[in-house]
Amino acid sequence: MCSLVDLQAQKQPAAAKPKLVVGLVVDQMRWDYLQRYADRYSNAGFKRLMNDGFNCNNTFINYTPTYTAAGHACIYSGSVPAHHGILGNYWYSRQLQRNVYCTEDTTVQTIGSTSTAGMMSPANMWATTINDELRMASNFQSKVIGIALKDRGSILPAGHSANAAYWFDDVSGGFISSSYYMQDLPQWLKQFNNQKLPDNYLSKNWNTLYPIETYKNSSADNKPYENNLPGEDNTFPHITNNISKNKYNSFRYTPHANSYVVEMAKAAIEGEKLGKGAHTDVLALSFSSTDYIGHEFGPNSIEIEDTYLRLDKDIAELLSYLDKNIGSGQYLVFLSSDHGATHIPGYLKENKIPAGLVKAREVETLINNYLKETFNISNGVSKVVNYQVYLNHAVIKPEQLERIRPAVVQQLLNIHGVANAFVLNDLNAAPIPEVLKSMMINGYNQKLSGDIQYIPKPQFYDGWEKGTSHGTWNPYDSRIPLIWYGWGIKKGSTWRNTYMTDIAATLAAILKVQVPSASIGNVIQEVFK
């Protein structure tokens, strides 16, 4: 027999919108990590999201190159570099004659540290984000907070009109911000930083969560193609307690930093009273340590397996906290990634799979030498970045470009690790499959991109002999997880193709607000109850 309280609860209409949206972007998370380590995940972390939420199993990035800044911008803007202007982490500026960092802003100052790490803002991003649209739709009563170790993982998701974005500072060992958002850190954050949690985490060292011999999903420890944890070596246990030089930078390369982000998220929810107002609030979280560790040790390392087993526990902790403090069924979570990663060439060659490197600096030298020998042009290449060649228009005459561009394409095709190359302002004529051509067009920005794009062969990339990277169109870089969980989301899954650009459009439908200003995505209708 139902009690009066039960009857009253049944009569209460469902909330029109979630109280809080929590975006989880796991930096460098390949889609297959959901399956590869599933036998060791608990039922409260990744499995809870997969089993009780909606899993879009075939989600792809629909542009290239695939880098962190472009990925975070795309997830929240629903757009691509051609429209939102974030080509990668860096791109070359012909006007400034140097590389431009995605969130650099010399007009603002660091808040919370004596370092220059806070001279950042979303000024280089042309488009609005779903968070900007939510803020405008609520007449700026919705609160939006971005948190990540990386500035770009916090700033770009939060958007232009966010209440705040916070990122980790290697000098102070705490979270900082920019005068773009505020003139002083809030009191709750000062108290959080004063706990000096990174020092506590480093003192615990980093050993495997379980006996190392049980890590059957990974290669043996101490492979010669793995890099070192900064200030330490490349084998377990990692004695982080002994690191003194640049110790906070080293902290980024440990899974404890993911736990730190979760603790910061809790502090922000309580300090800003997120999810307690009349309008939906947003907490945009990015777990950056997975990327730092992935770059150093690669996808088949024990370090990566251990990192994801620990992250599983961190996500379980966060979900449990949200249940208690926001209310089960009252919040919405989505989990995705900004890009994947390829296996280390040394690992692939060890297993008879072709692989190698196409280093940007070597490409730049090769083309510069060719232009000098063939056309008597010195310093004909300004920069090679994002698999794009920026010809030096200051020394190459406009009438020469028509001859030089196709000649450079032919030189690039002579490189062993290059599969394709083409002039970027004539992409429609490029002899490549339509799917790949579409990704190139989406990644090409007429004002910001270079003259020529080259595409490495599968398993080839711009990187180093040790560790790994990403940035290509290939599925290991462009296939990402996408899971929806919580308010208004049904249990289920789909294997149809969905895309990174669909995330913001789907959020707009859930929140009943306008899609971002450059959105090209579609609503994933299957996720709704």
Side-chain angles (χ1 to χ4, degrees), residues 494-508:
T494 180
W495 285 93
R496 79 170 177 89
N497 280 12
T498 52
Y499 298 94
M500 181 185 271
T501 46
D502 297 336
I503 298 172
T506 305
L507 286 170

Side-chain angles (χ1 to χ4, degrees), residues 21 76 130 332 334 484 502-513:
V21 174
Y76 284 89
I130 185 60
L332 169 71
F334 74 86
W484 303 84
D502 297 336
I503 298 172
T506 305
L507 286 170
I510 291 171
L511 299 174
K512 299 179 176 62
V513 300

Side-chain angles (χ1 to χ4, degrees), residues 6 10 16 23 25 56 130 134 140 142 178 198 238 330 372 390 441 443 446 450 465-466 469 500 502 513 520:
D6 291 331
Q10 291 174 15
V25 178
C56 298
I130 185 60
L134 176 64
F140 300 96
S142 290
S178 157
H238 295 290
Q330 299 299 308
K372 176 63 177 177
Y390 287 78
I441 290 172
Q446 191 173 7
E465 282 71 19
K466 292 187 175 185
S469 194
M500 181 185 271
D502 297 336
V513 300
I520 63 169

Side-chain angles (χ1 to χ4, degrees), residues 100-113:
V100 169
Y101 180 61
C102 56
T103 54
E104 69 172 57
D105 188 344
T106 57
T107 70
V108 299
Q109 301 300 318
T110 302
I111 302 297
S113 174

Side-chain angles (χ1 to χ4, degrees), residues 106 116 132 185 224 262 273 289 298 304 349 356 362 394 441 445 470:
T106 57
T116 60
D132 292 318
L185 295 182
V262 169
K273 296 180 172 57
S289 290
I304 274 292
K349 292 176 181 178
E362 294 179 1
I441 290 172
N445 186 296
H470 49 85

Side-chain angles (χ1 to χ4, degrees), residues 189-360:
L189 180 51
K190 291 180 180 179
Q191 293 173 350
F192 180 80
N193 283 339
N194 286 339
Q195 296 179 58
K196 295 294 182 183
L197 291 179
D199 293 272
N200 183 45
Y201 286 121
L202 286 168
S203 71
K204 296 177 180 179
N205 299 321
W206 176 19
N207 206 349
T208 51
L209 191 61
Y210 305 107
I212 195 167
E213 63 270 15
T214 67
Y215 285 69
K216 302 300 184 183
N217 292 314
S218 304
S219 301
D221 199 19
N222 194 25
K223 285 290 187 177
Y225 43 74
E226 293 179 358
N227 223 323
N228 293 343
L229 190 152
E232 224 264 331
D233 60 26
N234 68 342
T235 59
F236 280 108
H238 295 290
I239 311 301
T240 56
N241 187 44
N242 291 340
I243 299 174
S244 56
K245 184 178 180 181
N246 300 323
K247 66 177 180 178
Y248 294 130
N249 177 64
S250 297
F251 174 64
R252 295 172 182 264
Y253 293 80
T254 72
H256 300 310
N258 290 329
S259 304
Y260 180 54
V261 169
V262 169
E263 292 304 311
M264 173 63 172
K266 294 179 187 177
I269 290 171
E270 293 173 17
E272 299 293 341
K273 296 180 172 57
L274 299 181
K276 302 300 183 182
H279 298 270
T280 301
D281 297 326
V282 177
L283 182 61
L285 301 180
S286 182
F287 294 105
S288 308
S289 290
T290 45
D291 183 74
Y292 290 117
I293 296 165
H295 275 295
E296 294 299 289
F297 298 100
N300 218 60
S301 63
I302 293 176
E303 280 80 1
I304 274 292
E305 181 176 352
D306 193 66
T307 294
Y308 277 90
L309 296 182
R310 290 175 180 272
L311 180 59
D312 178 62
K313 293 183 178 296
D314 289 328
I315 290 174
E317 170 66 22
L318 178 61
L319 294 175
S320 176
Y321 175 86
L322 293 171
D323 287 340
K324 296 174 184 176
N325 291 273
I326 306 300
S328 179
Q330 299 299 308
Y331 61 89
L332 169 71
V333 172
F334 74 86
L335 182 145
S336 192
S337 179
D338 53 348
H339 55 75
T342 185
H343 284 289
I344 301 174
Y347 161 80
L348 292 169
K349 292 176 181 178
E350 185 177 72
N351 291 282
K352 302 181 180 179
I353 297 173
L357 301 174
V358 183
K359 297 183 180 181

